[in-house]
Amino acid sequence: MFDLQRKPLTGTRTTWLLSLPTLLLVGLVIAAPASAARPENALRHGDIAPADAFRAAYAPDAIAAARTPLDPAKVPASLRGLVPLAEYWGIGDNVLREMLQEGESPAKKKALADAVNPHNAAITAWLDSWPQGEPMCDEAAAFMYMQQGLDEMGLFQTR
């Protein structure tokens, strides 16, 4: 009735060992697209290093790629004329914003300050109107980073 000589797990153990490489291969195939999307030297959130190390890791077109197209309809009417400047100067990445600032002429920086400084109070009031804990829209964030850039260059003024 009972076969005491039979080993019930014999086939299962071999099957499991053969399926492990298969599982690993399937895992690699699934993970490959995710890892392929990030260049090997790309920066990750929380990385800490000297600024020069970060600069070396950026692609030559990183500043242009960091710019976000803005919707003027999401900006108060009195500030819509500044949208092109916010698109150009309002980069959230500290290292890229610094690289942009270093690469621009003093005349272009002065033109930015001359255009934005008269509106700083209105920009700040708009930014302060966001509810605490609510994420800003891209437009508000670009204006904030543009003001931050002015401050970093020593050009921010309230009139």
Side-chain angles (χ1 to χ4, degrees), residues 13-102:
R13 188 177 293 171
T14 308
T15 304
W16 181 83
L17 289 175
L18 290 176
S19 66
L20 182 60
T22 305
L23 287 173
L24 290 173
L25 181 61
V26 168
L28 287 173
V29 168
I30 291 171
S35 64
R38 175 188 291 279
E40 206 173 295
N41 64 349
L43 304 175
R44 290 178 283 290
H45 179 72
D47 284 353
I48 298 173
D52 291 340
F54 285 113
R55 288 178 186 179
Y58 284 110
D61 66 341
I63 293 173
R67 293 193 173 108
T68 303
L70 304 180
D71 180 1
K74 294 182 180 179
V75 177
S78 64
L79 301 174
R80 288 185 186 151
L82 300 174
V83 167
L85 291 172
E87 282 180 334
Y88 188 85
W89 291 94
I91 295 175
D93 185 293
N94 295 344
V95 175
L96 289 176
R97 193 172 53 254
E98 183 181 337
M99 289 169 60
L100 169 66
Q101 293 164 4
E102 290 174 355

